[in-house]
Amino acid sequence: MKLGFIGCGNMAGAIIEGIIKSRVIAPEYINVYDINTCAAESIKEKYPIKIMNSERETVFESDVVILAVKPNVITDVLDKINTALEESDTLIISIAAGKTISYIRNNLSHDNRIIRVMPNINATVGEAMCAYTANDKANDADRQLCELIFSAVGKVLYIEEKQFPIFGVIGGCGPAFSYMFIDSLARAAVKNGMDKDTALMTAAQTVLGSAKMVLEKMRDEHPWELIDKVCSPGGTTIEGVASLQNDGFEAAVNNAVNKALEKDAKL
């Protein structure tokens, strides 16, 4: 199978690297095109991928094409590859933010197999949370292939497209919220005498381990049950938890999610 990428920015680069390192697809079967030739060349310096000369050539030379372009240019890209898609049975996978399956379909003259994927920035370290949905033309094999490709950069789950806005906030904005929490923990530690590097390492690893605990225990224990296990009666942890609650920690997170959702609806 040959996999093509139209667009070779940071996200595409992370996916390509993950695919190759995971041995999902050999680099010689990966075709890449980007209007910025330097982007594709930088990957070719590390892996023997094939650089294409145009969007149309990428479609003709690939069994699956990942549209990894900015939302503001995807219409132009679809127009360029439209006739090529009419002549092929290429599976289209789009990671263009905010562009629905119906939007992509309405810009094509052929009823192609289409999958929409939303990865997040943590793909660059192989720990993304990716969601995908598919049109009726996409079959089980297409879905399995999509999961195989994106599992190379993290975890993958199928959701209905109507859930994409809230997933975009939790999965897409969530990393920024998490970075803020980690930085706040570290700064508080610095304020109390710890050097910044040690504080950041401690905070980041603690959040990483806590996330792993939730993922591994979620079938048996709710996060609040895990909180209770850490909180000794009259201890330091319950004092801190109570302080966070009194200061509106949960309300602040809820408000941030709602504000991001409101903004998404206006875009």
Side-chain angles (χ1 to χ4, degrees), residues 141-235:
D142 295 331
R143 295 187 184 198
Q144 290 170 9
L145 178 59
C146 176
E147 292 188 10
L148 180 65
I149 291 170
F150 286 90
S151 64
V153 292
K155 298 197 182 300
V156 189
L157 60 86
Y158 177 86
I159 63 175
E160 296 295 328
E161 193 165 27
K162 64 183 180 182
Q163 293 184 326
F164 262 56
I166 184 59
F167 177 86
V169 173
I170 303 302
C173 306
F177 302 162
S178 300
Y179 304 153
M180 288 178 68
F181 178 67
I182 290 169
D183 187 68
S184 295
L185 277 179
R187 288 180 185 277
V190 172
K191 181 182 178 182
N192 284 277
M194 182 178 282
D195 69 89
K196 186 63 180 288
D197 286 348
T198 302
L200 269 177
M201 172 66 78
T202 303
Q205 179 59 37
T206 298
V207 171
L208 176 63
S210 301
K212 187 174 182 181
M213 278 284 286
V214 170
L215 288 172
E216 292 187 0
K217 303 288 187 178
M218 61 187 294
R219 294 186 183 278
D220 303 312
E221 295 179 286
H222 186 275
W224 266 110
E225 293 178 274
L226 297 176
I227 293 170
D228 288 342
K229 285 186 175 181
V230 186
C231 293
S232 301

Side-chain angles (χ1 to χ4, degrees), residues 76-127:
D76 182 56
V77 170
L78 291 171
D79 182 60
K80 289 179 179 178
I81 65 176
N82 184 38
T83 56
L85 289 170
E86 288 181 340
E87 302 171 34
S88 69
D89 189 34
T90 307
L91 170 64
I92 303 168
I93 299 177
S94 171
I95 63 171
K99 297 304 180 183
T100 64
I101 285 180
S102 62
Y103 180 90
I104 295 169
R105 173 64 187 90
N106 291 339
N107 279 276
L108 297 172
S109 56
H110 183 63
D111 199 6
N112 295 90
R113 295 137 61 213
I114 302 171
I115 293 178
R116 179 187 175 191
V117 182
M118 185 179 289
N120 69 16
I121 193 172
N122 294 333
T124 57
V125 292
E127 289 293 347

Side-chain angles (χ1 to χ4, degrees), residues 98 164-166 168-169 259-267:
F164 262 56
I166 184 59
V169 173
K259 288 292 185 182
L261 268 175
E262 290 172 12
K263 182 66 174 181
D264 179 78
K266 295 175 182 178
L267 296 177

